[in-house]
Amino acid sequence: MQLIRTVSFPEPQLLADLSPLPEGLRGVVWDMQGEPDAAHGSIDGVILPYINAGAVLGNLDKVQDLKFVQTQSTGFDGVREAAGPGAAVANASGVHAAATAELAVGLILAKLRGIDQAVRDQATENWAPQRRQSLADRRVLLLGIGGIGQELARRLEPFEVTVTRVGSTERTDEHGQVHSSAQLETLARDHDILVSVLPLNDNTHHLVNEQVLAALPDGALVVNVGRGPVIDTDALTAEVVSGRLQCALDVVDPEPLPKGHPLWSTDNALITPHVGGNASAFEPRILKLLKRQLEALAAGETPANLVQQGPFQQASSQQVSSPQGASA
C-alpha cells in the first residue's frame, strides 16, 4: 500500500537531480522556512535540508498529516521528536561513512605529526623541526562500531595500530571483540588516542566525561567526528588548555564554537567546522540513497535506514535499529 504520494524537497536542485520521480510520487519544493505553500497540497513526506536542518525542525509540525521524514545526515538527534511518533524517520546511514572516516584519519595524522603547527610556522617563515608521535604503534580507543566506525577501523589497520572498539554493550561480532561503554574509564587508561564517531542520544550525552578524560595518559589525543555533546566540552577544555591532552575536533558543543572560547587559541587543539561528511563523495551517494528511498515509497515498500517506524509496521529489525555513528 502506497502511504506517501507527495514529498517535499528542501531546494529545487535536489528535486531536479532526482527527476523524473517514480510513478505515483509528486515532488514539491519547500525550504521549511515557515508554512508550506498552500499550492503544495497535502505533503506526506519531507526531505530535510543537509545544512542546518536543526534550525528548521520545528516547522515539521506545520505538515498536517506527516508520515515520513528523510534526513541527509547520519545523525538524527531531535528529528524523531520534531516529527512526532506518527511519522517514520529515516537517516542517511552509509552516505557519510567514507568521508567522515577519511577526515578522522586526517585529523589524527595532522595533530600527531604537528602539521597544524607547521601551518602556523609557515605563516611566520619559521623552520622548527621536532620529533613527533607517529600513528604507527599507537593504541586507539574507537567509540562507535556502526558504518563510520567500521570504515574508520578499516582505514586505520594499515597504519599498524591497535584498535579497541567500544559499543553500547559487550559482545563479539564478525570483526572481533566489542567492549561495553560502561568500561570506558578503565579502557581509557591504556590508550593513546580516543576517537568518537557516536551519535547523540540519552546514553551517549557526555559519555566522554571528566573521569574518562582524566583516565587518559598524558599527551593522549581526543578526536570527535560524531556529535559534539558526546564529549563534555568544559572537561575537555580544561585538559587541553592545561597541556595534558590534545584534541582534534570536527564537532563541538556548542556549535559553532563561540568566539573567544579557549579551544580556539590553544596550540593543543585542531578544529575543523563540522565538515566530516561534506565532501565530494556526498552528492552522488545521497542521490543514490534518495533515489532508492523514493522508489520504495512509490512501490509501497518500507524505506531503508528507519530509526522510527511510524506507519511502516513491517520494517525489519535491521532497519529500525539505531544506526551507529554519526556524521555531518
Side-chain angles (χ1 to χ4, degrees):
M1 175 182 175
Q2 185 176 350
L3 298 172
I4 312 298
R5 298 187 180 276
T6 301
V7 177
S8 73
F9 293 74
E11 43 93 15
Q13 188 60 54
L14 185 60
L15 175 55
D17 289 341
L18 290 163
S19 294
L21 299 184
E23 185 177 353
L25 278 187
R26 183 174 74 100
V28 299
V29 177
W30 177 41
D31 63 5
M32 298 187 64
Q33 302 288 339
E35 300 273 353
D37 193 299
H40 291 158
S42 176
I43 293 174
D44 306 305
V46 172
I47 300 175
L48 296 178
Y50 175 45
I51 303 297
N52 295 327
V56 295
L57 282 180
N59 288 325
L60 285 176
D61 65 7
K62 295 177 170 57
V63 180
Q64 294 301 312
D65 191 23
L66 183 63
K67 297 184 179 72
F68 177 70
V69 178
Q70 173 70 55
T71 77
Q72 296 190 63
S73 61
T74 306
F76 52 91
D77 32 300
V79 180
R80 292 182 296 192
E81 294 81 357
V89 175
N91 79 337
S93 179
V95 168
H96 303 280
T100 304
E102 284 176 358
L103 182 66
V105 173
L107 289 172
I108 293 169
L109 288 170
K111 199 74 193 92
L112 290 181
R113 298 305 302 267
I115 296 173
D116 56 335
Q117 183 59 52
V119 171
R120 290 189 287 268
D121 288 342
Q122 182 177 343
T124 60
E125 302 180 2
N126 180 32
W127 186 271
Q130 296 182 45
R131 177 173 292 175
R132 294 185 178 270
Q133 285 188 323
S134 64
L135 179 50
D137 303 329
R138 300 279 74 80
R139 300 160 298 175
V140 180
L141 188 58
L142 176 56
L143 314 187
I145 60 170
I148 297 173
Q150 290 175 18
E151 291 297 316
L152 179 51
R154 192 162 65 86
R155 283 161 173 76
L156 287 173
E157 185 177 354
F159 287 96
E160 302 177 33
V161 300
T162 300
V163 176
T164 302
R165 299 181 304 140
V166 178
S168 56
T169 59
E170 186 172 8
R171 58 194 183 276
T172 301
D173 63 14
E174 66 272 25
H175 302 293
Q177 184 175 8
V178 177
H179 295 266
S180 165
S181 58
Q183 302 170 284
L184 191 52
E185 185 177 342
T186 299
L187 292 169
R189 299 188 182 110
D190 299 319
H191 290 81
D192 311 297
I193 303 170
L194 181 151
V195 186
S196 174
V197 300
L198 289 170
L200 179 62
N201 54 48
D202 290 342
N203 294 325
T204 63
H205 184 268
H206 283 191
L207 178 65
V208 182
N209 56 24
E210 182 180 0
Q211 291 73 32
V212 171
L213 294 168
L216 287 167
D218 291 353
L221 172 62
V222 177
V223 180
N224 193 358
V225 294
R227 282 293 183 263
V230 170
I231 298 179
D232 183 333
T233 300
D234 290 342
L236 178 63
T237 301
E239 292 278 16
V240 171
V241 171
S242 75
R244 201 185 76 80
L245 297 181
Q246 307 174 76
C247 70
L249 309 173
D250 185 51
V251 291
V252 290
D253 179 32
E255 193 169 296
L257 196 65
K259 292 183 183 301
H261 193 282
L263 287 177
W264 281 122
S265 56
T266 175
D267 290 348
N268 284 334
L270 173 58
I271 299 170
T272 54
H274 201 154
V275 293
N278 196 10
S280 60
F282 168 68
E283 186 172 358
R285 294 181 184 218
I286 192 64
L287 291 178
K288 184 177 179 180
L289 171 66
L290 293 177
K291 185 174 185 293
R292 292 201 310 267
Q293 298 291 72
L294 294 171
E295 289 171 348
L297 294 175
E301 299 172 355
T302 300
N305 294 351
L306 286 183
V307 297
Q308 178 165 290
Q309 282 184 299
F312 295 99
Q313 297 301 315
Q314 302 304 315
S316 70
S317 59
Q318 180 178 1
Q319 288 172 320
V320 302
S321 64
S322 293
Q324 308 97 341
S327 178

